[in-house]
Amino acid sequence: MKVGSSSLTTASGGLDADRVDALVDVLAKARSGGTREIVLVSSGAIAAGLAPLGFPRRPRDLARQQAAASVGQGLLVARYTASFARYGVRVGQVLLTGDDTSRRAHYRNAYRTLDQLLTLGALPVVNENDTVATDEIRFGDNDRLAALVAHLVRADLLVLLSDVDGLYDGDPARPTSSRIQNVHGPEDLEGVEIGSAGKAGVGTGGMVTKVEAAQIAANAGIDVVLTSASQAADALAGHPTGTHFHQRGRRSAGRLLWLQHASTPKGALILDDGAVRAVVERRTSLLPAGVEAVEGEFTAGDPVELRDATGRAVARGLVNFDATEIPRLLGRSTRDLARELGPAYEREIVHRDDLVLL
């Protein structure tokens, strides 16, 4: 379940204890039978830190946002810890950045941490690590983070809580607008006006980010319910509520989902036509012989875009070489490179297991 800042705080900043307790009541009841595991992705750190630091509104600059997050994250988790303690439920804090989860070793660590918390009966509270994340490595919003975490823990259901009771085919304030009850595919959203962030001004998302997150999860084989915080209990109980985005895809390799949706390319490789066909149509690895140029500054293990001759990005992958090494590899076979430079160079620039098509 993902809950946003506007559902937990006041417009002026500061946690609303009654709202937090109401959400915790729902979650504790839903897991009380012992057959259901719940992960909570919670916004609210920056919003919770506004009032204590004397900020009248959410600051625009990253440094003050991170300061507010530093203060607010402690308050947020303390509030959850106290509220869940009423039911004897232990809370575990998990802070993530996009960089943590697109790299193989970091991704495995995130999975193991969440899995162990659930095994031990704790309820993970996940948030973006706003105190250290830069613009280049941010998820951008917790809706997308929630979709990716849902895939990471192999969730059966993702519940996205909003300040409205679902997705409408127009402005929910207009009497002519109707709630969309089911979304089976993109065709069900054609012509739908999707709004931006709400009036509270304490969050970063809006209906656009929630719909995008719902589509990410649904395409990855997870059912999604988008509804209001007041109807969270109905969503967890399986009662018809909000907007249901039906799963329509297969569960892919989790790390590749993170690579596609949570990574920021540090550079680009320009491919010739043959390499584009090999990567896109035959799903092969990218070899040095098919690369015509390199752009940007990156190191081995960083995400890079693979582009065709027109500059269109066709794929994204984790590169095996530093940007400074690649120019002398261009257009050459791995056998020749191994003979001249050593066996370490008889490998792909991007392996197919570390590559996702766009």
Side-chain angles (χ1 to χ4, degrees), residues 5-6 9-15 44-61 63-73 75-76 200-203:
S5 300
S6 61
T9 61
T10 64
S12 59
L15 290 172
I46 294 177
L50 298 182
L53 290 177
F55 294 145
R57 62 185 64 84
R58 182 187 178 98
R60 294 181 179 273
D61 61 288
R64 288 195 298 169
Q65 287 180 20
Q66 291 177 324
S70 180
V71 171
Q73 186 64 35
L75 297 172
L76 181 65
V202 293

Side-chain angles (χ1 to χ4, degrees), residues 268-285:
L269 302 174
I270 311 303
L271 282 54
D272 62 28
D273 293 342
V276 170
R277 288 192 298 270
V279 168
V280 174
E281 297 174 12
R282 301 199 300 275
R283 307 295 178 91
T284 67
S285 300

